[in-house]
Amino acid sequence: MARPKATPAPAPQAPEHDPAGALVLERGHRVRLADQLYGQIFEQIVSGGLNVGDKLPSENEISERFGVSRPVVREALLRLRADGLITAHQGLGTFVSHAPAPRLKTFNDVQNVSAYLRAQEVRVALEGDAARLAALRRTDEQLKKIAQAHAAFADSLARGQVSAEADLAFHASIAEASGNDFYLGVLESIHESISGFMRLTLNLTRTGSRQRAQRVVDEHAAILDAIREQDSERARVAMQFHLGQARHRLVDRERD
């Protein structure tokens, strides 16, 4: 990625364009500036504008390029590092370390991936504990509902017709079995971000290898088995592992 030239800050509500037309930040947009910047760099990595091993401009250069504060730039870069996409080397700079599968750019919602991954962080803590409680508290009827949701998800994935709704039904049935309505309520409050994340990951799975699809089904099965056997700690770990793997499968083509 060539060293960018500084451009004047745009007027309120007006988008700022990269000279090549590749990157855009919009003031007044409902998506936070740090999320927009994350999304733009993410798209550059997906599209090949930035490749593994490429060096990113410095914080100051990115700040000048987009007319945003260094804290905004720092937040976006910290999140890209946390998601394993870039790595900082002291004294050398920041480099692209991983790249998502190229076909990701053909799907909708890629520009919202930062918000989706932030929601995923909430899910790891929330759904891990919900699975733990479900293992302790589930009734036979609730277990049957979880098992049915798992079977429906696995069947639809095998037929290449899996939907976010089928995945959500499995996770919602576990939250419901926790016996605490607040778990389900919080999931519903971030429903849009969860659905967006699932659409992206399921599209990647549907168009990926058979092994990738089988891993997803196996992870769901491990959660179900732990809840069935009322092993609360194993249920928590299995859920958190599944959500972590889903995150990795989105941002790293090597997990395809």
Side-chain angles (χ1 to χ4, degrees), residues 44-59:
Q44 284 286 292
I45 296 172
V46 173
S47 66
L50 283 168
N51 296 300
V52 173
D54 285 352
K55 183 178 180 180
L56 269 65
S58 68
E59 286 185 11

Side-chain angles (χ1 to χ4, degrees), residues 119-131 183 236 239-240 243:
Q120 195 73 355
E121 290 176 351
V122 174
R123 293 182 67 199
V124 169
L126 184 80
E127 293 195 56
D129 205 51
Y183 285 104
R236 180 187 66 80
M239 177 63 81
Q240 291 182 334
L243 296 174

Side-chain angles (χ1 to χ4, degrees), residues 237-253:
V237 171
M239 177 63 81
Q240 291 182 334
F241 176 78
H242 166 58
L243 296 174
Q245 290 299 104
R247 182 190 188 101
H248 291 312
R249 283 190 288 264
L250 176 61
V251 301
D252 187 357
R253 72 177 72 184

Side-chain angles (χ1 to χ4, degrees), residues 26-245:
E26 298 180 9
R27 301 303 193 280
H29 196 273
R30 68 182 180 88
V31 179
R32 299 163 63 248
L33 285 175
D35 282 354
Q36 289 188 60
L37 183 56
Y38 177 109
Q40 296 288 1
I41 297 174
F42 185 92
E43 287 189 69
Q44 284 286 292
I45 296 172
V46 173
S47 66
L50 283 168
N51 296 300
V52 173
D54 285 352
K55 183 178 180 180
L56 269 65
S58 68
E59 286 185 11
N60 279 335
E61 290 170 331
I62 296 174
S63 176
E64 291 174 1
R65 180 177 196 164
F66 292 105
V68 295
S69 67
R70 286 190 65 185
V72 168
V73 176
R74 192 171 298 118
E75 180 184 344
L77 295 181
L78 283 172
R79 293 196 54 76
L80 287 161
R81 285 173 60 186
D83 292 332
L85 291 162
I86 63 175
T87 302
H89 297 280
Q90 189 171 6
L92 296 175
T94 300
F95 299 83
V96 178
S97 53
H98 291 92
R103 67 182 183 281
L104 184 65
K105 67 178 180 290
T106 66
F107 305 136
N108 294 328
D109 296 335
V110 174
Q111 70 275 10
N112 297 321
V113 71
S114 179
Y116 296 162
L117 290 172
R118 281 194 287 113
Q120 195 73 355
E121 290 176 351
V122 174
R123 293 182 67 199
V124 169
L126 184 80
E127 293 195 56
D129 205 51
R132 179 184 67 83
L133 291 176
L136 294 172
R137 300 173 177 174
R138 56 83 177 162
T139 64
D140 289 343
E141 187 61 31
Q142 288 169 332
L143 178 62
K144 182 179 178 181
K145 186 174 180 180
I146 297 169
Q148 288 174 335
H150 168 64
F153 173 83
D155 179 64
S156 61
L157 187 58
R159 290 184 286 106
Q161 299 176 348
V162 69
S163 65
E165 288 71 27
D167 201 358
L168 278 167
F170 175 74
H171 287 270
S173 65
I174 293 172
E176 184 179 350
S178 73
N180 187 328
D181 292 343
F182 282 104
Y183 285 104
L184 196 56
V186 174
L187 288 180
E188 289 174 350
S189 73
I190 56 174
H191 177 271
E192 182 178 351
S193 291
I194 293 176
S195 295
F197 177 87
M198 286 179 171
R199 283 193 299 271
L200 285 178
T201 56
L202 291 173
N203 275 329
L204 284 171
T205 297
R206 180 177 52 79
T207 57
S209 67
R210 181 181 297 273
Q211 290 77 12
R212 178 186 177 115
Q214 189 59 50
R215 282 194 291 270
V216 177
V217 173
D218 289 346
E219 288 164 17
H220 276 200
I223 298 166
L224 171 60
D225 287 345
I227 293 174
R228 178 183 288 117
E229 295 172 17
Q230 297 190 292
D231 188 332
S232 60
E233 185 60 19
R234 184 153 61 91
R236 180 187 66 80
V237 171
M239 177 63 81
Q240 291 182 334
F241 176 78
H242 166 58
L243 296 174
Q245 290 299 104

